[in-house]
Every structure is written in structure tokens, then in C-alpha cells.
């Protein structure tokens, strides 16, 4: 019996999941998203051509792989249609191999308005949401007000839609936020709404399935499945830097509820981390560098959000957060991305502990947003050589190998792959997949 392997982010998102899933999916029959929505932006570079996926799993560029949007994902039909159309321009016909779970909830245009209204009402305490409607749609799901994709086939769909939209509008008027003139992805609300309905019509021609049965059947037939995480562990609603998090379970446990697989059917867990850290949006980030070094990382790593274009905050690698993420997910193999970005830094720092007053801790602290925790750093030598065109790990500079070894010894999980550029070819295996 096969198991579902998982690839997920160990930091604050944007670790390079899209790129690595594209590479790993060669070895799988199926790639499945299990949580999040179009707040994700997963970038793939294939022969110099760049693609950003928001909802569609990153296995879509492999013609013969099935790609599933699982029940734990929330779908904005408008954005999904746009994505399907943009793939069509690249000669990828998603209708052949994209499957959608009936139980995935829908993001209504008014969820997006509500997202903006809540952010507005929070003032300085805003989360820095991508404004894709994620928080309000997951809220409606757990409050049992949500609408699932499968409803589009039933006659009461429009009434459900109208009742929920009216409720949203009542809340928005209470929040005293004037949405007139507010555009959704540059489109006026009414137009967005009308295209949203057209999109639900289009989706009727896709394979809308009982995802949980389908996936378990595939496992029984020994098909191989890779679950693709969105966001990152430090944005998990339960364990991340709450309230500066997203609204889903980004950790491995989310695979079970987000696809309908039992815990015993989860196999390898690949955890992906950049060679340093980034974060987009508000919230604690202990190793953040608000200085020329951070700016240099942003420039060299081209650290601008794939979904919103916002500059990403940059900082040194944080092993307190990384150990925590490895523990929560049961990571069996690590993957490092953006190793190339650190070439040319004379000295590199890695945070191994936090200090608060006279106390030093290796626990990711509950009160991180209230109290001042400063990172305790180890310093390592940098390397000059560019890594982008490295043919194998053996050719890498010694200082880089020391950097890798230092992390492995600190977190006690080995690296299995290292990525040294955005293109799908710029990655090498350093160990057998564990
Ligand atoms: P995701 O959300 O985890 O899929 O990551 P994003 O796509 O939002 O951000 C990662 C960015 O880094 C994208 O622009 C990728 O093309 C790029 N990228 C991925 N791996 C590497 C790498 O090893 N080196 C460099 N320089 N860029 C990379
Ligand atoms: P991928 O899958 C980085 C951040 C937002 C904000 C917070 C809540 O590309 O790694 P939300 O829209 O979910 O209400 O935003 O989470 N965020 C991400 N940051 N990568 C992502 O996805 C993110 N998805 C959400 O910036 O701080
Ligand atoms: Mg991203």
C-alpha cells in the first residue's frame, strides 16, 4: 500500500514549494493541494519561462499527472478560471488532469470585501492579508455558513449565495467601511461578481469528485501521491505567530483533514526552507534585518511577493523556528532553496537560540509578539563562488558545505536536496530520499 508523501514550507511561506513540487512530481502519479487558497503564489521556471500558480497544484506542467484541489482548499472560481485560461495560453489544458473536490468551500466576492473591511478595521494591527478572502471564507466554513463547490450543481445555489452575500454586506456596513470604488484584483465588484458566476458555470465541465474516495482508491491501487502545502508552518493558524497567520492548518496534520486520508497513510514528509528567512505581511520575525544586509538579500533573492508584489522582509536563518517546524510536521528530509542567494556574503549568521533579558531559550515562545526576544547568533564563514551553475554538491565550496552541515547537526534532520536557482534544472540531490 502506498502512502501520501508531503512537501510543505517550514518558514513563513514562499520557500520555493512550487519549484520543488514541479521537480518532485516526476516521481508521483498525483499532486494534491490540501489547504489554503489563492493567497498562495507558487512559482515555476521552466526553460526561462516563469509561471505563478495560485490554486492549481504545481504538478500541472507534467501532462500525465493528476492534479487535485482537495476539500481543505478554498476556491475562488474567478481566480481559478483566470489561472486555467493563462495555462491554456501556454498550451496546458487543465481540463484533462485537474480534479476538484466537491467539498472544497467557495470564496465569494463578498468574502474578499469582508477581508478588506476587517483589515481596515484593525488599523495598525492589520495582518497584512493578501485580501483574497481567506480568513472570512474559512470563518464561514467553521461557522457552518459556507458554500461548497458541489452546491453549484443544485438548484438552491443562487439562494445560498444571495443569503451569504447579504449577511456579508450587513457585517461590512457595521464595520463602517465604504467599499464603493474598491476593486478586486483591479476589477470593479459588480464585474467581478458576474465573472465569478460565469466561472462557476465553466467549472461544471471539470471533474468535480468525491476527493476523499478518489484519493483512498488511488492509494489502494498503489498510485503515488504528493501533497503540496501552501504558506508555511509559521503561518499555521494553530501553531504559527498568531494572530499574524493565515486561517488554515499548514502543518502536516492538515493533509489528513484536507484530503481525507488517515494519519497512518501519510508517508515521507519533505520540509522546505530557504537558506535564510523571509516574511511578507505583518507579525513577529526575530531575525529580520532592517539594514543593508537585509536589502542585499532582497535584491539578490528577488524577494517580492508572488501574489501581491509586496517586498518581502528578509533576515538570517532561524533555527529556533526551524526546529519547531520540523517537530510539528515530523519532517523526514529537508530541502534547502535559494542557497545561491548567500554567495558573496563574507560572514553569515544563523540564529540558534533566542534571548530575553538574561534567559536563553530554544523554544519558540508563546509571547513572541508581546515580549522582546533577540536572536543569539552563530557566525559562519561565507563563500564567494556563485552556486547557480553548480553541477553537483561535490563541486560546492567548502564553506557552503559547512553551512549545510551546521544546520543538519543543529536540527538533526538531513538535507536531501538543495536548490541553487529558480529553474527546475537548478537543483541537486545530496542524499537518497528518506
Ligand atoms: P512558494 O510560494 O513556496 O512556491 O515560493 P514562491 O514562488 O512564492 O517564491 C520563491 C521564489 O524563489 C520564486 O520566485 C522562485 O522562482 C524562486 N526560487 C525558487 N528556488 C530558488 C532557488 O534555489 N534560487 C533562487 N535564486 N530562486 C529560487
Ligand atoms: P505561499 O503558498 C507568504 C501571509 C500574508 C499575511 C498572512 C495572512 O506562496 O507560500 P491571508 O491572505 O492568508 O489572510 O494572509 O499570511 N501569506 C503568505 N505569505 N506566502 C504565502 O503563500 C502566503 N499566504 C498568506 O502575507 O501576512
Ligand atoms: Mg509564494
Amino acid at each position: 500500500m502506498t502512502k501520501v508523501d508531503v512537501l510543505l514550507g517550514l518558514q513563513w511561506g514562499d520557500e520555493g514549494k512550487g519549484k520543488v513540487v514541479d521537480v518532485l512530481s516526476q516521481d508521483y502519479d498525483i499532486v494534491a493541494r490540501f489547504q489554503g487558497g489563492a493567497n498562495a503564489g507558487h512559482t515555476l521556471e521552466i526553460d526561462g519561462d516563469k509561471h505563478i500558480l495560485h490554486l492549481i497544484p504545481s504538478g500541472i506542467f507534467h501532462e500525465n499527472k493528476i492534479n487535485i484541489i482537495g476539500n481543505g482548499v478554498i476556491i475562488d472560481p474567478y481566480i481559478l478560471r483566470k489561472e486555467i485560461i493563462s495555462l491554456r495560453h501556454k498550451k496546458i489544458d487543465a481540463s484533462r488532469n485537474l480534479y476538484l473536490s466537491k467539498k472544497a468551500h467557495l470564496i465569494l466576492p463578498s468574502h474578499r470585501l469582508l477581508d478588506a473591511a476587517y483589515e481596515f478595521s484593525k488599523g495598525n494591527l492589520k495582518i497584512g492579508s493578501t485580501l483574497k478572502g481567506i480568513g472570512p471564507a474559512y470563518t464561514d466554513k467553521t461557522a457552518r455558513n459556507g458554500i461548497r463547490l458541489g452546491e453549484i450543481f443544485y438548484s438552491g445555489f443562487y439562494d445560498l449565495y444571495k443569503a451569504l452575500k447579504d449577511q456579508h454586506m450587513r457585517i461590512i456596513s457595521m464595520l463602517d467601511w465604504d467599499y464603493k470604488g474598491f476593486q478586486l484584483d483591479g476589477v470593479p465588484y459588480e464585474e467581478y461578481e458576474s465573472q465569478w458566476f460565469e466561472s462557476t458555470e465553466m467549472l461544471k465541465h471539470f471533474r468535480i469528485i468525491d476527493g476523499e474516495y478518489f484519493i483512498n482508491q488511488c492509494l489502494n491501487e498503489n498510485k503515488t501521491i504528493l501533497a503540496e502545502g501552501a504558506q508555511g508552518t509559521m503561518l499555521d493558524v494553530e501553531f504559527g505567530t498568531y494572530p499574524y497567520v493565515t486561517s488554515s492548518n499548514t502543518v502536516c496534520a492538515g493533509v489528513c483533514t484536507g484530503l481525507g486520508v488517515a494519519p497512518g497513510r501519510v508517508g515521507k514528509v519533505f520540509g522546505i526552507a530557504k537558506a535564510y528567512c523571509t516574511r511578507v505581511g505583518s507579525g513577529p520575525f526575530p531575525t529580520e534585518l532592517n539594514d543593508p544586509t537585509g536589502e542585499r538579500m532582497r535584491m539578490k533573492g528577488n524577494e517580492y511577493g508572488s501574489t501581491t508584489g509586496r517586498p518581502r522582509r528578509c533576515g538570517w536563518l532561524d533555527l529556533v523556528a526551524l526546529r519547531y517546524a520540523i517537530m510539528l510536521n515530523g519532517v523526514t528530509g529537508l530541502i534547502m532553496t535559494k542557497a545561491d542567494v548567500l554567495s558573496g556574503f563574507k560572514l553569515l549568521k544563523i540564529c540558534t537560540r533566542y534571548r530575553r533579558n538574561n534567559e536563553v531559550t530554544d523554544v519558540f515562545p508563546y509571547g513572541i509578539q508581546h515580549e522582546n526576544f533577540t536572536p543569539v547568533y552563530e557566525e559562519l564563514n561565507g563563500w564567494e563562488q556563485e552556486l547557480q551553475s553548480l553541477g553537483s554538491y561535490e563541486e560546492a565550496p567548502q564553506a557552503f558545505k559547512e553551512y549545510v552541515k551546521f544546520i543538519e547537526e543543529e536540527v538533526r534532520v538531513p538535507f536531501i536536496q538543495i536548490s541553487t536557482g529558480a529553474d527546475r534544472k537548478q537543483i541537486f540531490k545530496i542524499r537518497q530520499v528518506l
Side-chain angles (χ1 to χ4, degrees):
M1 179 184 70
T2 54
K3 295 191 174 191
V4 178
D5 292 343
V6 183
L7 178 130
L8 44 73
L10 299 177
Q11 298 166 320
W12 282 274
D14 302 329
E15 296 89 348
K17 299 174 290 291
K19 179 215 158 137
V20 174
V21 168
D22 171 53
V23 173
L24 291 181
S25 53
Q26 292 165 30
D27 300 331
Y28 290 89
D29 299 311
I30 297 166
V31 181
R33 276 275 306 266
F34 59 93
Q35 47 70 233
N39 48 351
H42 295 178
T43 315
L44 286 69
E45 278 195 34
I46 304 171
D47 299 328
D49 215 4
K50 183 167 164 174
H51 316 271
I52 301 179
L53 297 168
H54 299 288
L55 275 164
I56 297 178
S58 303
I60 199 74
F61 287 91
H62 298 268
E63 216 178 301
N64 52 351
K65 311 287 175 182
I66 291 175
N67 288 266
I68 301 177
I69 296 183
N71 58 279
V73 176
I74 43 178
I75 299 175
D76 182 332
Y78 174 94
I79 295 182
L80 183 53
R81 181 173 74 156
K82 274 195 82 174
E83 219 169 299
I84 290 165
I85 293 170
S86 93
L87 284 173
R88 211 177 279 154
H89 292 315
K90 294 173 175 171
K91 306 267 182 293
I92 306 283
D93 177 9
S95 69
R96 282 182 303 105
N97 57 346
L98 179 65
Y99 295 49
L100 313 169
S101 169
K102 281 177 196 162
K103 293 196 172 78
H105 277 242
L106 292 175
I107 298 188
L108 275 52
S110 48
H111 278 128
R112 295 196 58 179
L113 290 183
L114 204 48
D115 208 357
Y118 281 133
E119 283 284 77
F120 168 78
S121 68
K122 285 191 161 113
N124 286 341
L125 297 176
K126 71 173 185 181
I127 307 295
S129 161
T130 60
L131 302 181
K132 301 294 176 192
I134 304 298
Y138 275 123
T139 304
D140 275 338
K141 174 176 175 174
T142 42
R144 296 157 299 172
N145 295 326
I147 306 175
R148 298 185 290 180
L149 177 61
E151 293 304 314
I152 64 175
F153 295 107
Y154 292 91
S155 58
F157 176 58
Y158 184 73
D159 292 341
L160 280 176
Y161 175 91
K162 173 123 187 7
L164 190 53
K165 174 186 167 182
D166 288 350
Q167 194 188 68
H168 292 160
M169 293 310 187
R170 285 194 295 274
I171 301 172
I172 289 168
S173 67
M174 276 186 338
L175 290 169
D176 213 14
W177 179 68
D178 182 10
Y179 72 89
K180 297 212 171 46
F182 184 78
Q183 301 208 328
L184 303 176
D185 296 346
V187 178
Y189 181 81
E190 287 71 22
E191 192 185 328
Y192 194 97
E193 187 180 42
S194 114
Q195 287 195 35
W196 189 94
F197 276 105
E198 282 172 27
S199 307
T200 58
E201 286 305 313
M202 186 191 91
L203 291 183
K204 285 183 180 166
H205 304 290
F206 277 68
R207 289 174 231 253
I208 299 188
I209 57 168
D210 291 302
E212 62 280 31
Y213 277 108
F214 183 83
I215 286 173
N216 281 285
Q217 182 66 34
C218 289
L219 288 174
N220 291 341
E221 290 166 5
N222 282 328
K223 296 218 167 73
T224 50
I225 304 181
L226 179 67
E228 171 181 2
Q231 290 78 54
T233 302
M234 302 313 289
L235 290 172
D236 180 85
V237 67
E238 212 74 43
F239 298 108
T241 46
Y242 192 89
Y244 299 100
V245 293
T246 189
S247 298
S248 64
N249 283 119
T250 61
V251 291
C252 187
V255 172
C256 297
T257 52
L259 294 179
V261 293
R265 297 199 113 172
V266 173
K268 296 167 193 153
V269 182
F270 308 125
I272 175 166
K274 283 180 187 168
Y276 50 98
C277 280
T278 64
R279 170 163 206 169
V280 60
S282 329
F285 181 4
T287 62
E288 182 170 15
L289 292 167
N290 285 309
D291 64 7
T293 309
E295 185 55 33
R296 191 168 159 198
M297 283 177 186
R298 186 175 307 113
M299 296 305 288
K300 185 139 196 238
N302 192 22
E303 295 294 359
Y304 294 88
S306 313
T307 299
T308 57
R310 292 177 289 178
R312 295 179 183 142
R313 301 155 64 192
C314 297
W316 296 118
L317 186 64
D318 181 342
L319 296 186
V320 182
L322 193 62
R323 281 192 217 100
Y324 180 56
I326 288 170
M327 173 185 85
L328 292 169
N329 293 300
V331 172
T332 56
L334 285 169
I335 298 169
M336 179 191 284
T337 57
K338 305 199 105 164
D340 53 299
V341 175
L342 293 187
S343 293
F345 286 77
K346 284 250 163 330
L347 202 68
L348 300 168
K349 293 188 185 181
I350 297 185
C351 165
T352 55
R353 306 272 184 279
Y354 296 156
R355 186 191 303 280
R356 190 194 52 168
N357 303 325
N358 290 327
E359 278 168 50
V360 172
T361 180
D362 59 1
V363 169
F364 196 82
Y366 171 86
I368 189 125
Q369 72 270 37
H370 301 301
E371 296 168 67
N372 190 25
F373 287 89
T374 51
V376 177
Y377 288 116
E378 291 282 332
E379 292 188 349
L380 281 83
N381 289 327
W383 58 90
E384 280 301 317
Q385 189 184 332
E386 295 295 336
L387 304 181
Q388 296 241 354
S389 50
L390 216 59
S392 73
Y393 187 60
E394 285 65 47
E395 292 169 26
Q398 191 54 32
F400 174 59
K401 289 182 183 160
E402 301 281 335
Y403 190 80
V404 171
K405 188 158 156 264
F406 181 86
I407 302 166
E408 286 180 329
E409 285 176 359
E410 282 280 328
V411 305
R412 293 167 185 277
V413 180
F415 281 102
I416 53 169
Q417 299 205 8
I418 293 188
S419 165
T420 55
D423 195 88
R424 57 153 66 141
K425 295 194 193 82
Q426 291 169 305
I427 190 161
F428 40 80
K429 288 189 180 155
I430 64 171
R431 270 194 201 82
Q432 269 312 75
V433 174
L434 304 168

